[in-house]
């Protein structure tokens, strides 16, 4: 019998048993990947479920599960198609940094958002409608076969956390700028390694979905012309739910890209205009081009125009 760890005002969800099992499997992803269970060639449903249950730790058995409906057949087929297309693409290949990026090690950690800013984020993101699968770009079929990336530093906390609760600091020179992603994501391996218990804390219960755990992020990102501070919501997502199994930080639309007026200038345009990327003494083919911020909505929900 499942133990109820958290209650919410949301109504009960009616769905097929296989969809409920899919939600349970989503929560357990990561903690049981290295476990192998020996099964006979032919077994029964009851015996198979019992073997799985006997393998779970006490912590696994008492995790909160947010029951969500499974993907539609069309969504499943799309993921299978994307996975097939990605099979010849190296997941270890890195995106190209935009011009004038500085190393993430030189970017100071951002300040945590104020309570008023946190409340505004919660009202914006929750309660939310079920989200479609992220349209993460799997293959960049343009000239260089690369996506743009940005240097950044982020501070991660639980959405309802308060100082001095645990906060996780990450830096990356390859935060992928992905205009095709619905939301911004952090691959789960970046959290599970150094902070194995963070995602299992009950404070995340109402923000846990089959595809991952939503967390609060204060970020500082170095664009070609400006260092941007922004507070928003990211989702920590298991690698096997990210096309290409790309480990890292993905900057998506909701709460991030859709807060900016920006200009992107790929290398090809810079070269044709006579403003070669090599003018900045970079190594050939080492930079994507420029992404310049023209205006943005700040954490106080005010628009800021940059001269």
């Amino acid at each position: 019998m499942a133990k109820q760890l958290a209650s919410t005002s949301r109504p009960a969800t009616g769905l097929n048993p296989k969809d409920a099992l899919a939600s349970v499997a989503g929560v357990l992803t990561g903690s049981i990947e290295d476990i192998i269970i020996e099964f006979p060639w032919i077994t029964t449903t009851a015996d198979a479920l019992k073997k799985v249950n006997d393998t779970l730790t006490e912590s696994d058995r008492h995790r909160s599960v947010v029951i969500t409906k499974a993907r539609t057949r069309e969504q499943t087929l799309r993921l299978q198609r994307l996975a097939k297309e990605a099979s010849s693409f190296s997941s270890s290949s890195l995106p190209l940094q935009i011009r004038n990026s500085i190393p993430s090690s030189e970017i100071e950690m951002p300040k945590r958002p104020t309570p008023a800013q946190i409340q505004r984020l919660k009202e914006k993101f929750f309660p939310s409608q079920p989200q479609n699968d992220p349209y993460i770009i799997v293959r960049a079929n343009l000239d260089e076969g690369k996506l743009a990336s940005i240097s950044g530093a982020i501070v991660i906390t639980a959405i309802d956390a308060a100082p001095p609760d645990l906060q996780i600091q990450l830096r990356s020179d390859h935060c992928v700028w992905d205009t095709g992603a619905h939301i911004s994501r952090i691959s789960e391996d970046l959290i599970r390694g150094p902070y194995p218990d963070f995602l299992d804390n009950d404070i995340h219960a109402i923000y846990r979905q089959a595809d991952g755990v939503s967390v609060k992020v204060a970020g500082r990102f170095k664009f070609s012309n400006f260092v941007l501070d922004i507070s928003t919501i990211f989702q920590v997502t298991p690698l096997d739910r990210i096309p290409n199994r790309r480990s890292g930080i993905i900057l998506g639309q909701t709460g991030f890209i859709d807060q900016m007026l920006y200009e992107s200038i790929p290398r090809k345009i810079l070269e044709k205009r006579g403003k070669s990327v090599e003018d900045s003494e970079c190594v050939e083919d080492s930079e994507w081009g420029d992404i310049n911020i023209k205006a943005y909505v700040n954490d106080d929900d005010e628009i800021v125009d940059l001269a």
Side-chain angles (χ1 to χ4, degrees):
M1 181 67 67
K3 181 179 178 181
Q4 184 176 358
L5 295 182
S7 61
T8 69
S9 59
R10 297 183 182 180
T13 300
L15 68 167
N16 188 277
K18 68 177 182 180
D19 296 336
L21 291 174
S23 295
V24 173
V27 170
L28 295 175
T29 297
S31 66
I32 61 172
E33 288 185 351
D34 296 330
I35 297 176
I36 302 297
I37 305 174
E38 294 292 337
F39 287 98
W41 182 249
I42 298 178
T43 187
T44 65
T45 303
D47 286 344
L49 290 175
K50 183 178 184 303
K51 279 182 174 290
V52 172
N53 185 63
D54 291 344
T55 305
L56 300 180
T57 65
E58 194 67 18
S59 174
D60 287 334
R61 290 195 183 96
H62 291 163
R63 287 192 190 186
S64 297
V65 179
V66 179
I67 300 297
T68 57
K69 293 187 177 180
R71 296 185 178 95
T72 64
R73 175 174 172 77
E74 289 74 17
Q75 291 171 328
T76 300
L77 290 175
R78 174 180 174 274
L79 282 181
Q80 291 173 347
R81 184 175 66 253
L82 292 177
K84 183 177 180 181
E85 291 175 356
S87 61
S88 61
F89 178 76
S90 173
S91 61
S92 62
S93 63
L94 293 174
L96 292 179
Q97 283 192 288
I98 61 173
R99 206 158 67 143
N100 293 333
S101 288
I102 63 174
S104 60
S105 58
E106 297 180 17
I107 301 176
E108 294 183 359
M109 283 294 170
K111 296 179 180 180
R112 295 182 65 165
T114 65
Q117 293 167 346
I118 294 170
Q119 182 59 33
R120 192 157 42 245
L121 282 175
K122 292 174 67 174
E123 291 173 355
K124 178 176 181 178
F125 281 85
F126 308 100
S128 61
Q129 298 296 321
Q131 295 171 328
N132 294 325
D133 287 331
Y135 301 144
I136 294 175
I137 297 173
V138 175
R139 183 189 296 274
N141 286 321
L142 302 180
D143 285 346
E144 298 167 335
K146 295 284 187 178
L147 300 178
S149 70
I150 297 168
S151 293
I154 64 175
V155 176
I156 305 165
T157 57
I159 292 173
D160 293 328
D165 289 347
L166 174 65
Q167 55 180 278
I168 298 172
Q169 297 183 354
L170 294 179
R171 298 178 185 272
S172 176
D173 291 325
H174 297 287
C175 301
V176 177
W177 177 266
D178 189 352
T179 58
H182 268 298
I183 59 177
S184 297
R185 295 178 182 266
I186 305 165
S187 61
E188 189 179 82
D189 59 296
L190 298 184
I191 308 296
R192 286 283 183 194
Y195 304 95
D197 299 325
F198 175 77
L199 296 174
D200 298 331
N201 194 302
D202 285 347
I203 197 172
H204 300 295
I206 63 174
Y207 304 110
R208 184 176 287 115
Q209 300 174 317
D211 282 341
V213 177
S214 294
V215 295
K216 181 174 60 189
V217 166
R220 178 166 289 165
F221 298 92
K222 179 63 172 68
F223 289 85
S224 297
N225 68 324
F226 183 69
V227 177
L228 176 70
D229 284 359
I230 187 170
S231 297
T232 186
I233 303 295
F234 279 41
Q235 186 181 86
V236 181
T237 306
L239 274 177
D240 61 0
R241 292 183 179 270
I242 299 179
N244 265 348
R245 292 178 57 87
R246 182 185 290 279
S247 173
I249 298 170
I250 298 170
L251 306 176
Q253 287 286 346
T254 304
F256 193 85
I257 295 177
D258 66 2
Q259 303 296 293
M260 309 171 196
L261 172 64
Y262 65 91
E263 175 187 48
S264 61
I265 312 175
R267 171 199 303 278
K268 185 66 68 176
I269 300 298
L270 292 172
E271 290 176 342
K272 293 298 182 182
R273 286 180 174 175
K275 298 178 181 179
S276 173
V277 179
E278 280 69 28
D279 291 344
S280 61
E281 299 182 354
C282 68
V283 179
E284 185 177 0
D285 296 333
S286 70
E287 292 183 323
W288 181 89
D290 290 350
I291 296 181
N292 298 314
I293 303 299
K294 302 294 186 180
Y296 67 97
V297 178
N298 67 15
D299 290 344
D300 293 320
D301 206 29
E302 301 168 340
I303 189 165
V304 179
D305 287 300
L306 302 179

